[in-house]
Amino acid sequence: MPIPRDAASVVLEGFELRVLHIPLVSPFTTSFGTERVREVIIVRALTADGDGWGEIVTQEAPLYSSEYTHGAWDVALRWLCPALLELDALAPAQVAETLRPFVGHRMAKAGLELAVLDAALRAEDRPLSAHLGAVVDRVPSGVSVGIQESAESLVDAVGSYLEDGYERIKIKIKPGRDIADTAAVRDAFGTIPLQVDANSAYTLADADTLAELDRFDLLLIEQPLQEDDLVDHAVLAERLSTPICLDESITSAKAAADALALGATSVINVKAGRVGGYLEAVRIHDLCRAAGVPVWCGGMLETGIGRAANAALAALPGFTLPGDISASGRFYARDIVTEPAVLEDGHVRVPTGPGLGVEIDPVALEEFTVARELLHR
Ligand code: NPG
């Protein structure tokens, strides 16, 4: 059954970009640093038929990837938005094509594409979930738990997320905070669905340590080595019984196909921002599904905008593992949408309204805004 993934063109009139600073409910620590305030760019596409919203998921510093907020802000305003505004009419699928000459900057491109896609779908009265090919109306919710002060506090944090009803736990690891932390969680909670995420913190020289994780029967180990280390990941995969899942390394459908062909990964974390947009994310889903490779939807501490789009993506049939699709309250006391995602029986509902299916809370949006630019045709 062919899934319709075309949307009608919009006549772009301008883009409004905002940098937001949104406080996190608690610090979030990974192998690459601690975040206390989410710095994010919100995009509003102004079209003849109404507005569309998108989110550029860069972080303040280029620690997870080479992209960072002020770089994305600059490239979007200087190059990407002007290139899109030159066109008289634009279909969402043309955004990536139009921006292809500009190398990299996938998170910036993804945020702009989402805003155009949202505007086009709202104009057609069509939900993003249906447009992408969703087959369920709610998705199982996994939670990503940052590195805590001690193994004991990690067990406390995991315990409280399990009480909330999360269906799968992911813990962040780094050298020195790996085996004992994982053992503590396994010992405390038995056979819960558990996975670990290293965010590129290891090298192949750590293979013995990583092999020790095999005894914990994890769903997967995410991105143990560097972004460019595809061959090393393939070597490591031969050593481990725990499946390797790549995140940072998978920057496009082509990169996904290459990593699979090399045996560098056997599961893929799909993040629209990292791969340049939700349409490219669907292509990765499609190729993995055809190859029988499980995928799951990653998260980048999205606001209600990106969170709604992630839930729509995670509702596609190849997303067979729970994603980092937590409730808004896991990160934010206040979100910028009027109905932030909540956890219901371990699941998050896929919005069904037109476009993203969420409405912006203009007061919250204004409150968190620290910079704003408007570009007109
Ligand atoms: O639930 O949104 C979420 C967070 C999931 O751990 C998570 N994200 O490495 O996958 C990651 C990590 C991340 C967050 C990476 C922000 C980069 C920025």
Side-chain angles (χ1 to χ4, degrees):
M1 178 190 65
I3 297 164
R5 285 190 189 135
D6 53 322
S9 299
V10 292
V11 177
L12 267 181
E13 293 174 344
F15 281 106
E16 182 195 60
L17 266 56
R18 291 166 183 258
V19 178
L20 268 50
H21 282 178
I22 316 178
L24 297 181
V25 291
S26 56
F28 185 58
T29 300
T30 63
S31 63
F32 57 79
T34 298
E35 222 172 329
R36 293 183 170 77
V37 172
R38 180 72 173 115
E39 184 180 79
V40 65
I41 298 175
I42 298 301
V43 181
R44 178 157 68 115
L46 298 100
T47 80
D49 293 309
D51 293 348
W53 296 88
E55 173 168 351
I56 298 178
V57 294
T58 47
Q59 292 180 290
E60 187 177 357
L63 300 173
Y64 165 83
S65 81
S66 62
E67 286 186 78
Y68 67 105
T69 305
H70 282 262
W73 179 258
D74 185 78
V75 79
L77 289 170
R78 193 185 300 270
W79 296 106
L80 308 182
C81 294
L84 295 173
L85 291 170
E86 256 179 36
L87 304 177
D88 290 327
L90 177 68
Q94 281 174 276
V95 173
E97 203 182 297
T98 307
L99 301 181
R100 186 154 297 131
F102 304 106
V103 176
H105 298 287
R106 294 183 176 86
M107 294 179 192
K109 292 174 178 175
L112 297 177
E113 184 192 78
L114 183 59
V116 171
L117 189 52
D118 183 38
L121 292 173
R122 282 182 203 259
E124 285 180 46
D125 205 18
R126 187 142 150 236
L128 177 66
S129 50
H131 181 67
L132 297 181
V135 293
V136 290
D137 56 11
R138 56 179 215 154
V139 292
S141 181
V143 64
S144 171
V145 187
I147 297 169
Q148 308 289 315
E149 298 231 310
S150 62
E152 295 71 46
S153 39
L154 174 64
V155 166
D156 289 346
V158 169
S160 110
Y161 290 123
L162 290 171
E163 266 172 35
D164 290 344
Y166 283 104
E167 297 249 312
R168 173 282 265 154
I169 299 290
K170 150 169 150 180
I171 61 170
K172 295 286 189 177
I173 59 167
K174 66 177 183 180
R177 293 300 304 276
D178 37 34
I179 309 304
D181 277 16
T182 311
V185 173
R186 258 292 173 252
D187 287 350
F189 304 110
T191 58
I192 56 161
L194 179 66
Q195 62 194 55
V196 297
D197 184 4
N199 284 115
S200 306
Y202 296 86
T203 71
L204 211 41
D206 300 307
D208 288 344
T209 305
L210 294 168
E212 281 185 58
L213 291 168
D214 280 345
R215 70 182 144 100
F216 300 117
D217 196 20
L218 301 172
L219 290 170
L220 53 92
I221 171 169
E222 195 179 346
Q223 196 73 37
L225 315 178
Q226 297 291 298
E227 183 176 324
D228 292 338
D229 288 344
L230 282 192
V231 172
D232 285 1
H233 275 111
V235 172
L236 185 63
E238 290 281 320
R239 265 296 299 278
L240 305 187
S241 60
T242 308
I244 290 181
C245 168
L246 291 182
D247 170 8
E248 284 89 328
S249 300
I250 307 300
T251 52
S252 64
K254 171 75 165 62
D258 289 352
L260 290 169
L262 268 174
T265 194
S266 50
V267 183
I268 288 181
N269 167 337
V270 183
K271 280 183 185 162
R274 198 195 59 225
V275 304
Y278 285 86
L279 302 180
E280 184 75 357
V282 170
R283 286 190 274 275
I284 295 178
H285 160 272
D286 292 351
L287 83 85
C288 287
R289 188 163 183 238
V293 172
V295 300
W296 56 280
C297 184
M300 300 275 289
L301 280 69
E302 284 85 353
T303 71
I305 294 174
R307 215 162 267 287
N310 286 350
L313 179 67
L316 270 65
F319 284 80
T320 52
L321 290 168
D324 285 340
I325 313 251
S326 48
S328 169
R330 185 260 174 269
F331 290 114
Y332 304 115
R334 185 169 184 197
D335 205 323
I336 57 164
V337 296
T338 54
E339 289 182 59
V342 292
L343 204 60
E344 293 169 6
D345 187 23
H347 289 65
V348 165
R349 212 178 287 171
V350 179
T352 51
L356 289 167
V358 289
E359 298 308 322
I360 301 299
D361 173 347
V363 177
L365 182 70
E366 202 56 44
E367 186 174 307
F368 296 129
T369 298
V370 297
R372 180 173 174 268
E373 280 289 343
L374 191 59
L375 275 189
H376 267 290
R377 256 154 91 82

